[in-house]
Amino acid sequence: MKNSTKKSLYLWGGSFLALGLLVWGLARMSGGYNSGTFNAVPLDLTSAAEFEHVKGPMDAGVTIVEYSDFQCPYCKQAVPVVEQILAEYPDTVNLIYRHYPLRQAHAQTQLAAEVSEAAGRQGKFWEMHDVLFANQEKWSGNLGARSIFEAYAEALELDVALFKTDLQDRALAEKVQHDYESGNDAGVRGTPTFFINGVKLKVPSYAGFVEAINTELDRLEEVRESTINAGESGSNPETVGTDAPTAE
Amino acid sequence: MTSKLTTWIARGLLLVSPIGFLDATYLTLKHYAGQTVGCTITQGCEIVTTSSYSVFYGIPVALFGVLYYLLIVLLMIAYVDRKQENVIRLACWITPVGFVASLYFVGIQAFVLQAWCQYCIGSAITSTLLFLLGMTYLATHKRSN
């Protein structure tokens, strides 16, 4: 091999090796590259019950888990649908709200999620949830969103100073991230995504909800009957369903 | 002809372009990992890197940065390899592309988003340095053949 060719080979090989190593190091340092593949881990409703946001009766047989993004227009459209469902099934259905902020697309969504969590610390998560969705187009894409959110906190009669302090707390972002990752694990790819007792809802329309909920209620009824028939006096009729979350 | 100045410009380009490459790679990796980039020096990284200006037809703009810097890196390695003036000349002619893109993004950060992302400023600095080196080379090396 000619000397100059050898030199070229070392130069290019060395350069690529060095660049490759640097990129590899960077990828490791920055927490790795997420390939975007999701594990189909079944949704565990009980694991994080202590800091879930639950609406409706705690002992409801059917739990809707919603993965949502405050800045997403379709999530806003889904709010009245879910409200209608909760009104339709006041004793048998409850709702859990989980954050799935699409941060690449929505600049203010992360802050909005943290704002709702900060309001939640003062017991007004759902109030803030409603205000955020109702006024979505006022703060979306607005760089002054933070001051708008502070005005909402004031309107909801929160302790604004505490609200601002809470917003500095990394724990809020961690809660949001926890929700987000649980969504990834459950196979959420967009918002809104609903689960009816852990089963992904295919058609998130009013009719779609009613069908899925009725099917689930029928299934629970069958389970109840079979346990009674088996002479176990229905001590735990919801063995196949999930335990209702107990806190918030 | 390889004057002392040429050697220094080549060394400068060879040193600065990998820095820009790594900076842009970091932002691209973060983008595809779906993670927000935290700021340590400036404020508003998450605003800048999640804004609609950070994506161009679904492609993160940082990826264009990666390709741009990588091209310069490769050209400079080729230059070190072959010492052909055309190669470094080509690299210098490309530098305005990165410079203009950086001007645009700095403008977006200053006037539209009013938020700054340190990694984006880092890229603006490296691309400006590349531009200055490139223009110096071209100004001092009029095509002789």
Side-chain angles (χ1 to χ4, degrees):
Chain A
M1 198 186 274
K2 261 170 63 183
N3 234 2
S4 61
T5 325
K6 215 171 180 176
K7 204 186 116 198
S8 295
L9 208 67
Y10 284 139
L11 181 68
W12 284 96
S15 302
F16 277 112
L17 199 68
L19 279 180
L21 273 175
L22 284 169
V23 170
W24 178 76
L26 206 61
R28 277 191 62 111
M29 221 175 65
S30 68
Y33 174 73
N34 180 347
S35 63
T37 52
F38 300 123
N39 300 320
V41 174
L43 203 64
D44 184 0
L45 298 182
T46 53
S47 63
E50 62 195 72
F51 53 89
E52 295 285 14
H53 302 293
V54 188
K55 201 179 204 173
M58 288 297 169
D59 58 348
V62 176
T63 295
I64 302 172
V65 174
E66 174 181 14
Y67 282 95
S68 188
D69 170 325
F70 285 116
Q71 205 174 338
C72 130
Y74 297 108
C75 300
K76 179 183 171 134
Q77 286 171 21
V79 173
V81 177
V82 175
E83 280 299 319
Q84 206 181 338
I85 290 294
L86 289 178
E88 193 76 22
Y89 300 88
D91 305 320
T92 43
V93 175
N94 63 17
L95 168 73
I96 289 180
Y97 184 98
R98 286 186 188 163
H99 303 283
Y100 197 79
L102 302 171
R103 289 173 282 235
Q104 301 297 345
H106 300 144
Q108 287 82 27
T109 191
Q110 175 70 25
L111 181 60
E114 290 176 27
V115 160
S116 72
E117 288 296 327
R121 282 194 175 174
Q122 298 185 40
K124 291 203 168 165
F125 170 82
W126 290 106
E127 287 82 349
M128 187 57 92
H129 163 280
D130 293 347
V131 171
L132 288 172
F133 274 126
N135 298 287
Q136 193 183 60
E137 44 291 306
K138 289 190 188 119
W139 54 265
S140 286
N142 191 326
L143 292 159
R146 189 176 286 271
S147 55
I148 297 177
F149 293 150
E150 283 164 11
Y152 294 162
E154 204 170 338
L156 289 175
E157 294 176 342
L158 298 179
D159 178 341
V160 179
L162 180 63
F163 173 81
K164 284 186 187 172
T165 319
D166 280 342
L167 274 183
Q168 304 290 328
D169 191 348
R170 285 298 299 168
L172 297 188
E174 279 164 20
K175 156 77 169 101
V176 173
Q177 186 59 24
H178 182 280
D179 280 5
Y180 183 81
E181 283 166 11
S182 80
N184 282 347
D185 287 345
V188 174
R189 279 143 201 261
T191 52
T193 298
F194 296 94
F195 292 87
I196 309 290
N197 274 2
V199 179
K200 199 191 258 183
L201 180 66
K202 289 192 185 70
V203 190
S205 65
Y206 180 76
F209 269 111
V210 169
E211 196 192 330
I213 289 169
N214 286 343
T215 309
E216 180 64 11
L217 285 173
D218 288 347
R219 193 185 67 80
L220 290 177
E221 190 57 37
E222 268 173 42
V223 171
R224 196 191 318 268
E225 275 169 14
S226 65
T227 39
I228 291 169
N229 291 345
E232 287 177 24
S233 65
S235 58
N236 187 7
E238 284 160 19
T239 41
V240 188
T242 45
D243 294 336
T246 48
E248 213 269 310
Chain B
M1 178 196 74
T2 36
S3 68
K4 214 166 183 180
L5 184 66
T6 312
T7 315
W8 278 106
I9 288 175
R11 278 182 192 164
L13 290 171
L14 207 53
L15 183 77
V16 176
S17 53
I19 297 173
F21 171 72
L22 288 177
D23 185 0
T25 303
Y26 176 75
L27 285 172
T28 309
L29 285 172
K30 280 288 188 185
H31 179 98
Y32 283 114
Q35 292 165 333
T36 45
V37 179
C39 281
T40 47
I41 306 169
T42 56
Q43 277 204 332
C45 277
E46 72 287 348
I47 296 175
V48 177
T49 57
T50 58
S51 79
S52 57
Y53 302 98
S54 72
V55 182
F56 184 76
Y57 286 103
I59 302 164
V61 294
L63 186 58
F64 292 107
V66 172
L67 297 177
Y68 164 74
Y69 288 115
L70 186 62
L71 183 62
I72 305 257
V73 171
L74 293 180
L75 284 171
M76 289 318 293
I77 298 171
Y79 174 73
V80 172
D81 186 18
R82 297 292 164 84
K83 292 280 187 284
Q84 276 174 355
E85 220 196 305
N86 281 341
V87 180
I88 189 170
R89 188 177 286 277
L90 178 62
C92 292
W93 273 112
I94 296 169
T95 59
V97 177
F99 181 64
V100 169
S102 281
L103 277 184
Y104 170 74
F105 290 122
V106 166
I108 293 283
Q109 288 177 76
F111 301 114
V112 182
L113 299 175
Q114 291 172 330
W116 297 93
C117 147
Q118 69 209 35
Y119 305 100
C120 316
I121 296 170
S123 182
I125 293 170
T126 50
S127 65
T128 305
L129 284 174
L130 290 178
F131 174 70
L132 290 176
L133 287 166
M135 289 307 105
T136 311
Y137 181 87
L138 290 178
T140 51
H141 294 71
K142 297 274 184 267
R143 194 179 280 276
S144 47
N145 51 340

